[in-house]
Amino acid sequence: MGRGANDQGTLIIGGGVIGMSIGWRLAQRGEPVTILEKGQAGQEASSAAAGMLSIANEVKFQEDLSLLLRLESMKLYPDFVGDLESSSGHDVDYRTDGAIAISLHADDTAELRNLYEYQLEKKLPVRWLSGNEARELEPVLAGFVVAGVMCPMDHQVDNRKLVEALKAAYLRAGGELHEHCEVEEVRLQTGSSPEVLAAGEVWRAKRLVLAAGSWSGLIPGLQSWLRPLVRPVKGQALALTMPSADFLTHMIKTPDVYMAPKSDGRLVVGATVEEMGFNRDVTAGAIYELLRGAWRAVPSVYELPLQETWCGFRPGSRDNAPILGKTDVEGFYVATGHFRNGIINTPVTAKFMSELILDDSTPELLQRLSPSRFVRGG
Ligand code: FAD
Ligand code: GLY
């Protein structure tokens, strides 16, 4: 596979958590895999994320497909982490303390109650908390927190450690990774194996997987009906340094921001949701709003050192669910559109895509995520 005329194995465009996890699962089964990555693996959305594995806290009305997929992925998470940590030798800071959604006013409380009833309808194991009960769990919460919902199923990882672990596990399993190797053109022709042009060379494989996150619809050469309908949804975020590891134990979600405490002492505060194309500015206004939102819920964050600010691009699809599976062109697959849930959906995506590629397995849930559900101009 790779440069030249050999058309075995699988070529993956994009080395984010999605491309690397699919590559790792394929390589573990003996498939020759090559990932072509335009920058450094894992440094785009996959590093910008907060690492929350949100089941209850990402529930949205009428987004049942997305919930089903997250539930499926969470069933896989503990074993996935176990396998990844032992295969890579890296810890990914998998934490199962849970999350608390809080309200700060009467109208927030009505909204929280409404969502809580929906979470109960979906049989999620959530628990209503008074303000005092929330403060017993997290003493740094503000005195005027009105109510909370405890979400014990919402776990987290340190996504930057996840990226490093996936890269190491993938390479140890025999995968090839070419960084700073941008795919400039995709060439698909009936009757011949897929090819791409990257770094001035032609790369050919039996199968090609497009996992280029927010850039998936932009690579030249793809006919318009094959280009996934994804757009970049900008998220700005920041990290504070906590004074001690138990400053906050749970992830906290307020109506304005979320906070995710990591075991290395970072408190990740996020995030904006902006339709700004690929604009990479980190703005004073966004950082001000994030800090203000965090401070309202946890006043003592005022004293914490500001460690880092950043932004990233969530690959958003039209229905906010990923676009996964085969296309109508033999050997050409798509795995993108993970929007706000790419970290939680990494295990299920890697499983579905690797089993589709190697075993032609298409469980019902995967069929529902097929690229064919969107047709450009349709
Ligand atoms: P990416 O990580 O963006 O990877 C795509 C890769 O493709 C990039 O490395 C890019 O360089 C490469 N590429 C692009 N074009 C080419 C080309 N032509 N040739 C070669 N390579 C190319 N999800 C959660 O589950 N939990 C969270 O808490 C969470 N928080 C988030 C917070 C923020 C602020 C943001 C921005 C996102 C968050 N997400 C979260 C979403 C999650 O980060 C994404 O869904 C996920 O990282 C998408 O992974 P990916 O591999 O598809 O994309
Ligand atoms: N899932 C958190 C975010 O996208 O900001």
Side-chain angles (χ1 to χ4, degrees), residues 49-50 52 54 58 235 258 270-273 314 339-341:
M52 299 179 300
S54 301
E58 286 273 347
Y258 54 73
T272 62
V273 181
R314 308 171 180 94
F339 192 39
R340 306 194 75 170
N341 297 118

Side-chain angles (χ1 to χ4, degrees), residues 149-161:
V149 174
M150 174 69 199
C151 310
M153 281 182 89
D154 289 25
H155 297 171
Q156 61 167 320
V157 290
D158 183 327
N159 47 294
R160 294 185 181 175
K161 292 184 174 167

Side-chain angles (χ1 to χ4, degrees), residues 12-21 35-54 58 70 77 155-157 159 163 178 180-186 197-198 210-216 218-220 233-238 251 258 260 262 268-272 280 310-316 335-346:
I12 299 178
I13 307 175
V17 285
I18 299 305
M20 285 198 290
S21 62
I35 295 178
L36 305 179
E37 163 55 51
K38 77 178 162 76
Q40 263 182 284
Q43 297 307 303
E44 290 289 354
S46 302
S47 282
M52 299 179 300
L53 313 176
S54 301
E58 286 273 347
R70 295 201 306 283
Y77 234 102
H155 297 171
Q156 61 167 320
V157 290
N159 47 294
V163 158
H178 297 266
H180 307 290
C181 186
E182 177 169 0
V183 173
E184 289 148 9
E185 190 182 341
V186 174
L197 183 67
L210 177 57
S214 290
W215 297 265
S216 298
L218 298 178
I219 301 178
V233 182
K234 180 177 174 180
Q236 300 189 52
L238 60 92
M251 291 169 283
Y258 54 73
K262 305 295 175 192
V268 176
V269 180
T272 62
R280 286 193 192 260
W310 65 87
C311 76
F313 303 109
R314 308 171 180 94
T336 187
H338 290 75
F339 192 39
R340 306 194 75 170
N341 297 118
I343 306 298
I344 183 170
N345 284 329
T346 292

Side-chain angles (χ1 to χ4, degrees), residues 309-324:
T309 59
W310 65 87
C311 76
F313 303 109
R314 308 171 180 94
S317 73
R318 285 192 169 167
D319 61 5
N320 295 338
I323 305 172
L324 296 183

Side-chain angles (χ1 to χ4, degrees), residues 4-116:
N6 186 354
D7 58 0
Q8 297 304 300
T10 301
L11 198 56
I12 299 178
I13 307 175
V17 285
I18 299 305
M20 285 198 290
S21 62
I22 297 168
W24 174 47
R25 287 308 198 197
L26 290 172
Q28 275 185 316
R29 291 186 53 187
E31 171 81 350
V33 189
T34 297
I35 295 178
L36 305 179
E37 163 55 51
K38 77 178 162 76
Q40 263 182 284
Q43 297 307 303
E44 290 289 354
S46 302
S47 282
M52 299 179 300
L53 313 176
S54 301
I55 296 286
N57 262 336
E58 286 273 347
V59 161
K60 305 270 182 315
F61 300 108
Q62 311 306 334
E63 286 193 5
D64 289 1
L65 181 57
S66 173
L67 175 61
L68 278 176
L69 189 69
R70 295 201 306 283
L71 285 167
E72 195 64 27
S73 206
M74 276 315 286
K75 282 191 220 151
L76 304 173
Y77 234 102
D79 286 348
F80 179 85
V81 165
D83 190 7
L84 183 60
E85 289 186 336
S86 62
S87 302
S88 65
H90 289 245
D91 168 73
V92 301
D93 193 21
Y94 180 47
R95 294 177 54 156
T96 57
D97 312 274
I100 306 174
I102 57 169
S103 65
L104 301 167
H105 287 299
D107 58 343
D108 294 346
T109 308
E111 200 177 326
L112 189 64
R113 173 71 70 178
N114 195 24
L115 192 63
Y116 170 69

Side-chain angles (χ1 to χ4, degrees), residues 169-345:
Y170 169 70
L171 293 173
R172 280 190 187 183
E176 236 184 81
L177 171 65
H178 297 266
E179 298 182 307
H180 307 290
C181 186
E182 177 169 0
V183 173
E184 289 148 9
E185 190 182 341
V186 174
R187 298 172 181 168
L188 302 172
Q189 272 170 6
T190 322
S192 58
S193 297
E195 284 180 1
V196 305
L197 183 67
E201 293 186 78
V202 175
W203 305 67
R204 182 178 304 133
K206 189 169 180 197
R207 294 171 277 252
L208 177 65
V209 180
L210 177 57
S214 290
W215 297 265
S216 298
L218 298 178
I219 301 178
L222 276 180
Q223 288 164 280
S224 73
W225 61 278
L226 279 172
R227 267 190 267 131
L229 280 160
V230 285
R231 67 188 197 288
V233 182
K234 180 177 174 180
Q236 300 189 52
L238 60 92
L240 302 169
T241 308
M242 295 187 290
S244 62
D246 60 356
F247 177 76
L248 268 181
T249 310
H250 303 85
M251 291 169 283
I252 303 292
K253 185 170 182 236
T254 83
D256 307 313
V257 297
Y258 54 73
M259 284 170 266
K262 305 295 175 192
S263 301
D264 65 3
R266 285 183 311 137
L267 179 62
V268 176
V269 180
T272 62
V273 181
E274 303 167 64
E275 301 283 348
M276 294 286 289
F278 287 101
N279 174 306
R280 286 193 192 260
D281 293 341
V282 174
T283 62
I287 298 307
Y288 166 76
E289 293 295 347
L290 292 172
L291 287 171
R292 184 170 171 274
W295 166 74
R296 283 179 69 215
V298 178
S300 52
V301 300
Y302 202 84
E303 308 295 337
L304 304 188
L306 176 59
Q307 201 179 102
E308 190 188 346
T309 59
W310 65 87
C311 76
F313 303 109
R314 308 171 180 94
S317 73
R318 285 192 169 167
D319 61 5
N320 295 338
I323 305 172
L324 296 183
K326 282 181 184 174
T327 65
D328 288 341
V329 173
E330 177 78 24
F332 180 55
Y333 300 78
V334 172
T336 187
H338 290 75
F339 192 39
R340 306 194 75 170
N341 297 118
I343 306 298
I344 183 170
N345 284 329

